[in-house]
Amino acid sequence: MSSLTTPAAQPTDPATRLRTTASGVAVLGYAATVYVLFLCVLGYAVGFFAGLGVPKGIDDGPRVPLPVAVGVDLLLLLVFAVQHTVMARPGFKRRWVRVIPASAERATFVLAAVVALALLFWAWRPLDGTVWALSGPAAAVLWATYAAGWALTIASTFLISHSDLVGLRQAWHHARRTRYDEPSFTERGLYRRVRHPLMLGFLVVFWSAPTMTAGHLLFAVGATGYILVGIAFEEHALTRSLGSDYTSYRDRVPALVPRVPLGTASSRGRRQADHDG
């Protein structure tokens, strides 16, 4: 990881120093506030997909005619997809930082995602019909898998840089008037097994439903489609920015489904010897 503490040029004029300090404190306070909102929406999401502990779950809410419900739900998914896709593009970021401080760009992206998710939770319309309904041990397994999906998702953010992902580190360096460098490419932990453990965690969450209703299925299918498209966009950008480092990583490590080791090297050798004999 490259150094993150190289001091930036310090303004010598007291008035300029005061404005710079005030700007740093304001951006840091903004990023911290966005992070609190992010945690609230993340916690609500856990209950929303499970239909537990929240005022409105994915299968709750007023019933409307089927075409209207499907149209509203698809529009909500599209809003989130467009927000995530457009605001993540380098060209948009270059234009966006002409309007807001660069140190607040990531926090603003997170805030927009929080608003899009909150809108989805509030306006989502349930659909009648049940695809499957499990009980007993089978349901317990899916609940455990659901919890594991969230654990995988959250753990993945800390393996890259949780504070950078939510915009806190950018704001912190701005407040301290030190140089901010993006996290360098690393390959560790879960990222040695799959290239996108964060997305894998979300997929596990979306599909681990003991009772899969038509509305939940619509969300799972739509979100899965967006994740696959998003991965394609992200990998294109990573290949352009990292070059051979990422292409080599992509060739060695699967995107979403971990490879299952087929025994130890010695056992593979014995099987090969038996086959040859």
Side-chain angles (χ1 to χ4, degrees):
M1 192 78 69
S2 55
S3 171
L4 301 175
T5 57
T6 304
Q10 303 295 317
T12 55
D13 178 64
T16 302
R17 288 176 63 90
L18 181 61
R19 286 195 299 272
T20 303
T21 301
S23 170
V25 172
V27 170
L28 184 58
Y30 169 69
T33 302
V34 170
Y35 183 60
V36 171
L37 294 175
F38 164 78
L39 292 178
C40 292
V41 170
L42 182 66
Y44 195 99
V46 175
F48 179 78
F49 296 116
L52 297 171
V54 294
K56 180 179 181 294
I58 195 168
D59 297 314
D60 300 325
R63 256 59 181 180
V64 296
L66 180 63
V68 175
V70 172
V72 169
D73 294 346
L74 290 178
L75 179 60
L76 292 169
L77 286 168
L78 181 63
V79 167
F80 179 80
V82 169
Q83 177 271 317
H84 243 62
T85 302
V86 172
M87 293 189 73
R89 301 278 66 79
F92 180 89
K93 291 181 181 181
R94 285 192 297 270
R95 290 187 288 271
W96 189 224
V97 294
R98 299 172 188 169
V99 180
I100 63 171
S103 54
E105 182 272 326
R106 184 64 191 183
T108 303
F109 173 90
V110 174
L111 177 60
V114 163
V115 171
L117 277 176
L119 176 64
L120 187 147
F121 297 155
W122 172 69
W124 185 266
R125 293 295 176 259
L127 304 180
D128 293 328
T130 300
V131 182
W132 70 69
L134 304 178
S135 59
V141 168
L142 278 183
W143 281 125
T145 305
Y146 180 78
W150 279 114
L152 173 60
T153 298
I154 295 169
S156 300
T157 68
F158 286 94
L159 286 174
I160 40 178
S161 175
H162 182 81
S163 60
D164 195 275
L165 192 68
V166 298
L168 285 173
R169 193 164 72 86
Q170 297 88 328
W172 173 251
H173 282 284
H174 179 64
R176 294 183 63 204
R177 292 183 295 197
T178 54
R179 189 181 70 197
Y180 164 75
D181 293 322
E182 292 186 0
S184 58
F185 175 71
T186 59
E187 182 182 342
R188 59 176 179 162
L190 296 168
Y191 286 87
R192 294 183 184 274
R193 308 292 298 175
V194 292
R195 300 196 303 274
H196 303 281
L198 180 64
M199 296 298 104
L200 174 59
F202 280 126
L203 290 175
V204 171
V205 165
F206 299 154
W207 288 97
S208 297
T211 300
M212 178 65 77
T213 62
H216 197 145
L217 180 64
L218 176 66
F219 181 93
V221 170
T224 299
Y226 169 68
I227 285 175
L228 296 178
V229 172
I231 285 176
F233 275 104
E234 181 182 3
E235 297 222 318
H236 177 71
L238 288 170
T239 300
R240 291 186 63 182
S241 62
L242 299 175
S244 60
D245 286 343
Y246 193 79
T247 55
S248 174
Y249 174 64
R250 186 184 60 197
D251 292 340
R252 287 182 288 105
V253 179
L256 290 168
V257 181
R259 294 191 180 100
V260 178
L262 301 176
T264 63
S266 59
S267 64
R268 289 196 300 269
R270 285 195 298 270
R271 287 196 298 268
Q272 183 64 38
D274 292 342
H275 173 75
D276 294 341

